[in-house]
Amino acid sequence: MPVITLISDWGPRDHYTGAVKGAILRHDPAIQVVDITHEISSFNILQASFVLRNSYKEFPEGTIHIIGVNTEESEEQPHIAVSHKGHFFIGADNGIFSLAFDEPPEKAIEIDVPQDADFFTFSTRDRFVKAACHIAAGKPMEELGFVRTQLTEKHHFKPVIESSLIIGKVIYIDGYENIFVNITREIFEKYRQRRSFEIQLRHAEYQISKICRSYSDVKEGEYVALFSSTGFLEIAINLGTAASLLGIEVDDLIRIEFTD
């Protein structure tokens, strides 16, 4: 049974999600449609890329992922279909795939098929669904258009690393207000070298000097740092809301200082 997933910024209120699901099922009622999320902030491809990179691998190979965020087409940002690590992805070439993947995808096709409508405000329903159902039917992705050899690239800020310091950036805040920082365990351990450390939050107003394995390793209401299932450093409060209580937002800097 083919699987198509949906990531969008449509929210729960409007008709967009239902219209896209209906269009998919009209093509093939046997397709299984899975909502990953429709609550991405409007046009926020950074947020969408974080959700995509941390969810698509859990689906079976052959799954088709539609990304309905910032989908307006232009010459610089055409609609594309991508194959990567056994999965298929359909969206606009707006940089989201360079943010979601650690390496370039195996293949990208610039979609050159007519839309199912005479207007161009709902590409996800009128073109992405058509492309996704083509792939779901077992047809070659190459039939959708022509090979695109260069994709739009956008990059996360990379951590600044010195001998006794790592400066990372907040890249995502989830619904629990847990804070994700673009520092991986590998980077942390490589530069820590068994030294003591302090994770400094809000210009050292708050510090954490221990990496835990779970939220409950600290008392309720206390701050906790751990490396989450995403692979990134996570700052949280056990049974609390870290981002608002700390006054931290996406793009804020987080410092880790090492001492001998």
Side-chain angles (χ1 to χ4, degrees):
M1 181 183 297
V3 177
I4 295 177
T5 75
L6 301 174
I7 293 176
S8 81
D9 56 3
W10 302 326
R13 176 174 177 263
D14 297 314
H15 63 283
Y16 304 111
T17 302
V20 168
K21 288 183 176 181
I24 293 171
L25 297 175
R26 189 175 69 246
H27 278 273
D28 184 353
I31 292 175
Q32 184 177 357
V33 184
V34 178
D35 300 293
I36 294 179
T37 182
H38 298 295
E39 298 195 22
I40 300 296
S41 299
S42 297
F43 314 114
N44 192 329
I45 63 169
L46 289 173
Q47 197 178 82
S49 69
F50 185 91
V51 171
L52 178 63
R53 75 178 288 147
N54 288 294
S55 59
Y56 84 85
K57 296 175 186 177
E58 306 304 324
F59 288 86
E61 289 193 1
T63 296
I64 304 150
H65 306 274
I66 292 177
I67 302 94
V69 179
N70 196 18
T71 60
E72 186 166 347
E73 185 179 30
S74 68
E75 288 187 9
E76 295 78 21
Q77 298 182 358
H79 296 154
I80 59 173
V82 166
S83 62
H84 185 64
K85 294 188 175 181
H87 294 250
F88 299 97
F89 305 83
I90 297 171
D93 184 20
N94 52 25
I96 190 170
F97 299 113
S98 63
L99 292 167
F101 306 148
D102 292 325
E103 60 279 321
E106 287 95 21
K107 186 178 295 183
I109 301 296
E110 185 168 331
I111 298 173
D112 185 25
V113 297
Q115 292 201 160
D116 287 339
D118 295 331
F119 44 85
F120 300 94
T121 59
F122 200 178
S123 302
T124 306
R125 183 194 65 187
D126 298 327
R127 176 174 270 179
F128 293 1
V129 164
K130 200 171 186 179
C133 291
H134 174 96
I135 296 170
K139 299 177 182 179
M141 188 176 73
E142 291 79 0
E143 293 180 359
L144 293 171
F146 50 90
V147 174
R148 187 168 176 85
T149 56
Q150 186 70 37
L151 299 186
T152 299
E153 291 191 10
K154 291 189 177 179
H155 300 285
H156 289 295
F157 169 90
K158 293 184 178 180
V160 174
I161 299 172
E162 300 177 4
S163 60
S164 60
L165 176 69
I166 300 176
I167 302 176
K169 179 179 282 190
V170 176
I171 56 173
Y172 190 80
I173 295 173
D174 69 14
Y176 296 98
E177 296 195 21
N178 299 324
I179 300 161
F180 295 84
V181 184
N182 65 335
I183 298 172
T184 64
R185 180 187 292 275
E186 290 74 20
I187 289 175
F188 175 78
E189 295 296 349
K190 178 179 179 180
Y191 292 96
R192 177 188 180 187
Q193 299 177 349
R194 300 184 179 181
R195 293 179 291 177
S196 300
F197 65 91
E198 279 190 352
I199 302 171
Q200 298 182 353
L201 313 171
R202 287 188 62 188
H203 308 290
E205 186 176 348
Y206 302 97
Q207 301 91 30
I208 301 174
S209 57
K210 178 183 178 182
I211 298 294
C212 295
R213 299 184 65 182
S214 68
Y215 306 114
S216 59
D217 285 350
V218 300
K219 296 179 180 178
E220 182 176 340
E222 290 186 356
Y223 300 107
V224 59
L226 49 88
F227 286 99
S228 71
S229 59
T230 67
F232 293 112
L233 177 66
E234 180 179 349
I235 308 297
I237 295 177
N238 184 18
L239 298 179
T241 52
S244 59
L245 289 174
L246 288 167
I248 289 178
E249 299 178 351
V250 170
D251 289 337
D252 283 353
L253 300 180
I254 302 295
R255 295 167 59 94
I256 303 178
E257 293 192 357
F258 300 105
T259 55
D260 295 323

